[in-house]
Each structure stands twice: as C-alpha cells, then as structure tokens.
Amino acid sequence: NILIVGAGGQIGSELVPYFRSIYGNNNVVATDINDKCKGTLGDDGPFEVLDALNGEEFAQLVKKYKIDTIFNMVALLSATGEKNPQLAWKINMGALMNSLEIGRENGCAVFTPSSIGAFGTSTPHDGTPQDTVMRPSTIYGVCKVTGELLSDYYHSRFGVDTRSVRFPGIISNVTLPGGGTTDYAVEIYYAAIKDKSFTCPIPKDVSMDMMYMPDALSAMVQLMEANPDKLVHRNSFNITAMHFTPEEIFAAIKKRIPEFTMSYNVDPVKEAISRSWPNWMDDSCAREEWGWNPKWNLENMTDDMLKVIAEKYAAKLF
Ligand code: VAH
C-alpha cells in the first residue's frame, strides 16, 4: 500500500486520485497536517491527519495500513523558504528524515521529489548535467541537495529503495501552488482567463524548465515501477518537458487570447532565485535508465490549461 504525506499540496492533491485510479482507492492512504483537503482528493479512499514531523504517529500509520511505499511530498517551496529558512529546514528535513527512518524500519520504498532548485549559480545553466556541481543559494535548494544525499545514503548504507526526480516548475489547474518561484507560470493562465492581463514577477529573459502535471504524475509511477537493476542513478534524476521565458508563455497564450496583455513588476527575491536555476536541464539519464518521455509541451499544455480554467471560471470556482 502507498502512503502519500502532504496530500494537500500542489502535487499531492493530484497524486492521490491518480494513484487511486491505478492501484485502487483503499490501497492509497492520503495524509496531511490537517483535514482541509479531505474529500477534495477525488474520492473517499483512506485519509488521516498526520504531522509528518511526528515520527511516532507516522510509524503507526505505516504499520496500520501495511505501507510498502512512502511518497513524501511535504515541503515549504523556494520563495516561502526564504521568508523563514529555519522553519523550512525543520519541516522539509524533518519530514524526509522520518520518511527515511520509518522506511528503513518497515522495509518501505521512499520517493521524495528534488528540484531544479537544487542547482545554483555555479552550476552550468544550459544543458545542466545529471552529475554536476550543486551549490544552491536558497534554503529550499540546501534542503533538496541534503535530501538527495540523505536518500542516496539510506540506499547505500541501509538498502532502502529510495528514488527521486529533480522536478522543474510544475504547471497544473487543480490546486494553486503556493510560494514557488515558478508559480507565475500557473498564475498567468488564471489571469489570462479572469483579467485578460497579468503582471509578471519574473524578468522577461529568464528561462526555466517546466512540466505539465500529467507528465509529472506518470514520471513518479514510471520511476517507482522501473527495474532497479537498470538504475545507475537514484536521487535524483533530472527530468524536464519544456523550458520557456515569460515572453514565450505570454506569446503562446496571446495566440489563443489576442486581447491578453502582460506587464512586469519583478520580485527581487524571485528574480535572484530564478536566475540561479538552470535555463534548461539535460534529462538523458532519466530517458535511458527508466524511459522518461514527456507528452506535454507549451502548445498542447496551453490549450488544455485555458480550456480547464475557462470551465472553472464559468462555474465560478475562482
Ligand atoms: C518552486 N515550484 O518554485 C517550486 C519548485 C522547481 C520549482 O521547487 O519553488
């Protein structure tokens, strides 16, 4: 059975129904710090309130539901982390340490996402390699690099089946992301439908890797179901589906909504963070070792995002 910790987040809220559609409602246990997301996860599979920092309760749930795979989706994202780095470290690393320790004690596989945020200004920005220098300048990035090293350590030292990917910015239309540097690429679609105009917090020339949620969801299944003998890497694989600047996503939306306009009000914190991240990553190792092959690009994603968000707007959901 699968345990998803942080089910209410941007990824968790879509991971739960997706996994339940594949593995069965009752085989996927959703947990979050409170029950706000209960009942919004697409169906009534098991839900438990869990503070991922409470190791006792965490371990009890793993035993109660006979969990064999833990997806730890708990994190304060990059921009939020910079407002309270001590809390970001406490939450991000506390949740991961509990996931790894409880995984070790109970024989569970452990998936924890890493991120393009694990890279820094001294990392090659174009075609960022799988194995390269990683000196991130945000607490989020420090947590992600530490998480990668911890996860590899738990695999080599204790034999825990740890696997993860370095996600780019993830674009989705179910749960709004919070506190991310790439969130502009989600907010722009809502603004295009609602206001026909958008004020962008990211500089016009900054390219970042991005991915549509359906590709992110299938990547997690593909990696966790991959033949371990073929994995040269584990924590974590570069994966990306597209990269663009604010100007490029603006142009894609304007092709569909000609009256759409955009201005810039650059957020200095998000500018510094986004300029320290890759322009585009080399994800050839993921493609070779477990068949990563994204289906969504800027064009078909923009069609789908505008369609779904226009329907949500018509239904007065925002
Ligand atoms: C953020 N969306 O912007 C998250 C993620 C790769 C970006 O880490 O912080």
Side-chain angles (χ1 to χ4, degrees), residues 10 77-79 115-117 140 167-170 179-183 277:
Q10 181 193 12
L77 296 183
S78 56
S115 160
I116 54 174
Y140 178 76
F167 275 130
I170 294 184
T181 303
T182 61
D183 295 359
W277 290 355

Side-chain angles (χ1 to χ4, degrees), residues 65-218:
Y65 288 99
K66 299 182 179 48
I67 299 300
D68 54 52
T69 305
I70 299 168
F71 279 78
N72 168 45
M73 308 309 287
V74 172
L76 294 191
L77 296 183
S78 56
T80 303
E82 290 310 291
K83 293 180 188 141
N84 191 337
Q86 294 76 13
L87 181 64
W89 175 266
K90 181 168 178 272
I91 291 177
N92 295 3
M93 302 321 295
L96 175 58
M97 202 55 191
N98 279 341
S99 300
L100 291 170
E101 264 300 280
I102 293 161
R104 179 179 66 79
E105 288 159 1
N106 295 276
C108 305
V110 179
F111 176 94
T112 296
S114 181
S115 160
I116 54 174
F119 298 115
T121 45
S122 54
T123 307
H125 282 243
D126 294 327
T128 303
Q130 174 64 46
D131 301 306
T132 184
V133 60
M134 303 174 79
R135 307 279 302 169
S137 48
T138 63
I139 185 66
Y140 178 76
V142 168
C143 289
K144 288 304 180 186
V145 173
T146 311
E148 293 193 15
L149 296 173
L150 261 181
S151 298
D152 271 346
Y153 178 79
Y154 265 73
H155 176 250
S156 55
R157 178 77 171 66
F158 301 116
V160 179
D161 183 2
T162 56
R163 307 183 192 189
S164 63
V165 295
R166 291 170 187 153
F167 275 130
I170 294 184
I171 294 167
S172 63
N173 51 47
V174 173
T175 303
L176 277 171
T181 303
T182 61
D183 295 359
Y184 92 92
V186 176
E187 292 152 5
I188 191 171
Y189 287 108
Y190 285 85
I193 294 292
K194 184 166 180 281
D195 311 314
K196 300 279 186 287
S197 72
F198 180 60
T199 304
C200 187
I202 300 292
K204 62 171 53 179
D205 63 317
V206 172
S207 164
M208 286 191 272
D209 284 293
M210 300 281 179
M211 181 184 301
Y212 200 25
M213 182 65 82
D215 276 331
L217 298 175
S218 53

